Amino acid sequence: MGGAFLRYNEGDMLRFSTAGESHGEALTALVSGLPAGVTVDLEFVNRELWRRQQGYGRGGRMKIETDKAHVLSGVRHGKTIGAPIAIELVNRDWKNWEEKLPVEAGDPAKHQAVASPRPGHADLAGALKYNFPDARYILERASARETTSRVAAGAFCKLLLAELGIEVLSHVTRVGRVELERAATWDEIKAVAAKEDVMLSCVDAETEARMKAEVEETSRTGDTIGGVFEVVVHGLPAGVGTHVNWDERLDGLLAQAVVSIQAVKGVEIGRGVLGSESFGSKVHDPIYYGEAKADKPTRFERHQNNAGGLEGGITNGEDVVVRGFLKPISTLRRPLESVRFDTREATAASYERSDICVVPAAGVVAEAMVAYVIAQQVLVKFGGDSVLELKRNYEGYLEQIRRF
Ligand code: EPS
């Protein structure tokens, strides 16, 4: 993201990176640039990790793992101290892979090769690029297991946003052919995220039952299925992001963050896709000057939100709405045609085990990515080395737009 933040010193930016392989000893996340004084609720972080593991259509691996954040640094006495936060997330499955994937040379006879690349996965492109004789090391890092680290890092970004009353949640609007055919309210999305039985994270019970049947039918035929999730940012004021440089526009930053998630092939801001088939008079959100509201700093308001809270790459004070379009998982129980790496003979693509549907989990990952981008841009605008300083800057700005 080097070019994206020309106005700022990158070393001061909120940022995170991840390391770890799907069947290695552990995953890690390193988050730096959070101000001091953010209240850290580890129960919240672990619940976010739990939410990512849920959803109807997950495979056997989720029965092995119970993801928990082991915070090694940057948090003391329940608050951030401004120092980098290192998080370790242990892979329970490692005990089954220790000999197959040792750090040292180990016994080559125990290596478990991925002999034929899976269409749709990074297997073939990655093996060609890195000059590996099979796809094992590509799969290990390309795997969506990496998103555990993203959710851990994103949970810390959510904790920062919570200090300012900003929330980020998601719900599922499509599984395969079954679509939610109405808008969801913020309260409905909150209720879905609070559920203990996540199922398919749809706000409408009848639609969710049909989504479940769609997953069941997919499972019966040894196939996989994709869908659409929607992430909503609630409580963000107008004025975050900027129109002045292409690589600082918030819509572009959000799109990059969401499309980087494994299996996401498309991103929509607000009702962008619908807008492309309609007239301007039907799409753009008329502006009204309304009543003062406790949860809104300005009286400029809209009665609809097709723009998804973003105009010109800047928030306009409405909820930010980002949708991600997920392809079906590329590991199929009934594998597609492929070719053996060693003999070049036609064969079925490799199969070990897989999920059938991961749309609710991908939504949780996208919440983390969106929370990261929003937290980063909030800090760019309001700054501060401590939460106290950030809040003072933030309140001052809210007052400014209230008086506009
Ligand atoms: C994945 C394959 C499966 C998924 C995995 C992503 O893992 P395994 O090969 O161990 O069965 O379960 O997702 C996770 C492990 C996770 O935590 O989400 C892949 O190939 O991308």
Side-chain angles (χ1 to χ4, degrees):
M1 302 278 281
F5 306 106
L6 297 172
R7 290 190 299 159
Y8 320 102
N9 175 3
E10 245 191 271
D12 296 337
M13 294 286 296
L14 170 66
R15 61 203 189 282
F16 82 89
S17 56
T18 74
E21 287 100 46
S22 183
H23 305 103
E25 190 167 355
L27 298 154
T28 60
L30 185 68
V31 185
S32 60
L34 275 179
V38 177
T39 300
V40 176
D41 174 358
L42 280 181
E43 241 176 73
F44 169 78
V45 176
N46 287 330
R47 181 169 162 94
E48 291 291 284
L49 292 169
W50 174 85
R51 288 179 62 223
R52 196 204 65 90
Q53 292 197 268
Q54 306 308 304
Y56 190 73
R58 298 305 304 268
R61 178 75 186 272
M62 288 306 97
K63 295 192 178 73
I64 299 174
E65 305 296 342
T66 312
D67 296 330
K68 291 260 182 301
H70 180 202
V71 176
L72 301 170
S73 68
V75 182
R76 299 292 156 197
H77 304 122
K79 301 228 187 238
T80 58
I81 59 169
I85 299 164
I87 308 157
E88 181 192 51
L89 303 136
V90 166
N91 279 325
R92 287 189 167 190
D93 208 14
W94 165 244
K95 63 176 187 310
N96 304 318
W97 288 83
E98 252 176 283
E99 292 196 318
K100 295 180 213 158
L101 272 176
V103 172
E104 291 184 273
D107 176 359
K110 299 203 165 131
H111 178 101
Q112 194 170 324
V114 177
S116 49
R118 292 160 295 173
H121 216 284
D123 295 352
L124 177 59
L128 289 170
K129 177 176 168 65
Y130 288 92
N131 192 35
F132 292 140
D134 75 82
R136 168 56 61 197
Y137 306 133
I138 301 302
L139 169 165
E140 286 296 326
R141 182 62 185 159
S143 163
R145 180 84 191 129
E146 183 259 352
T147 61
T148 312
S149 301
R150 301 199 201 199
V151 169
F156 279 83
C157 299
K158 283 189 171 191
L159 289 170
L160 174 87
L161 294 173
E163 298 278 356
L164 307 178
I166 301 163
E167 292 172 275
V168 185
L169 288 173
S170 69
H171 65 113
V172 170
T173 63
R174 174 190 280 280
V175 170
R177 296 160 297 183
V178 182
E179 187 175 19
L180 174 69
E181 278 164 6
R182 65 176 179 83
T185 67
W186 175 248
D187 286 344
E188 284 178 320
I189 298 169
K190 274 196 93 144
V192 158
K195 273 169 50 172
E196 292 304 318
D197 176 7
V198 168
M199 191 57 69
L200 285 154
S201 291
C202 183
V203 298
D204 185 84
E206 188 271 329
T207 309
E208 187 169 74
R210 285 192 290 119
M211 286 175 171
K212 184 169 177 248
E214 184 84 339
V215 176
E216 275 161 0
E217 190 185 327
T218 306
S219 173
R220 267 197 298 278
T221 55
D223 219 321
T224 58
I225 201 163
V228 182
F229 57 77
E230 181 174 276
V231 180
V232 179
V233 187
H234 188 71
L236 197 57
V240 176
T242 178
H243 62 293
V244 300
N245 285 311
W246 68 265
D247 52 0
E248 294 175 70
R249 291 173 79 111
L250 184 54
D251 43 9
L253 296 173
L254 287 168
Q256 198 272 333
V258 172
V259 88
S260 77
I261 298 167
Q262 288 81 340
V264 172
K265 282 297 217 181
V267 177
E268 179 182 27
I269 306 282
R271 303 312 310 271
V273 173
L274 188 71
S276 70
E277 328 165 334
S278 194
F279 294 106
S281 57
K282 298 275 181 294
V283 171
H284 298 298
D285 310 321
I287 301 169
Y288 303 94
Y289 194 67
E291 298 296 316
K293 288 195 187 116
D295 63 340
K296 284 236 163 163
T298 92
R299 291 165 64 178
F300 292 97
E301 62 178 29
R302 319 293 174 101
H303 298 166
Q304 61 182 43
N305 185 21
N306 288 337
L310 285 158
E311 289 168 312
I314 315 173
T315 57
N316 64 10
E318 302 301 312
D319 284 353
V320 169
V321 182
V322 186
R323 290 179 169 208
F325 294 69
L326 216 62
K327 69 182 177 184
I329 301 284
S330 47
T331 311
L332 275 73
R333 198 152 31 89
R334 194 162 42 86
L336 293 173
E337 288 165 33
S338 185
V339 175
R340 280 192 68 91
F341 279 110
D342 51 3
T343 63
R344 314 301 202 230
E345 280 164 348
T347 185
S350 295
Y351 179 80
E352 281 164 8
R353 109 193 123 191
S354 83
D355 302 300
I356 298 161
C357 171
V358 292
V359 191
V364 175
V365 177
E367 289 172 32
M369 295 308 291
V370 166
Y372 168 63
V373 171
I374 299 289
Q376 193 176 52
Q377 294 307 309
V378 159
L379 287 174
V380 161
K381 180 158 174 59
F382 304 107
D385 292 308
S386 65
V387 168
L388 183 78
E389 190 179 0
L390 169 67
K391 278 191 183 167
R392 194 169 63 227
N393 297 342
Y394 187 67
E395 299 296 337
Y397 174 75
L398 294 188
E399 188 57 24
Q400 175 193 316
I401 56 173
R402 208 171 278 132
R403 288 163 184 257
F404 175 89

